[in-house]
Amino acid sequence: MATDIVIPSDLWEEDEETVITSWLVDDGSTVEEGALIAEIMTAKVQYEILAPASGTVSIKEEADAVVAKGAVIGSIE
């Protein structure tokens, strides 16, 4: 069963959207839970996205995409 990679909705209050600045893994890569897999940027702060599970990454939203809080940007199966 796949685990969604989600933009956190509780890290900041000001902005409703963020930009995926970079994926640090490739689509199809194998990762361990807790590994750093992506970085996002609000108007003021850069945040790190960690793998919520171990498995194979499937990227849904590419780098430079503007996404909302709570958006699913990929999955791990």
Side-chain angles (χ1 to χ4, degrees), residues 9-61:
S9 58
D10 60 349
L11 293 180
W12 65 93
E13 295 178 7
E14 307 84 38
D15 304 316
E16 289 300 316
E17 295 180 323
T18 187
V19 175
I20 301 169
T21 54
S22 64
W23 280 96
L24 304 174
V25 297
D26 294 322
D27 192 47
S29 295
T30 301
V31 296
E32 294 294 322
E33 182 176 356
L36 179 59
I37 57 172
E39 296 174 326
I40 60 173
M41 178 72 95
T42 67
K44 299 178 184 176
V45 181
Q46 184 161 332
Y47 293 98
E48 298 176 336
I49 302 294
L50 304 178
S54 297
T56 303
V57 175
S58 176
I59 295 174
K60 178 179 174 186
E61 297 286 348

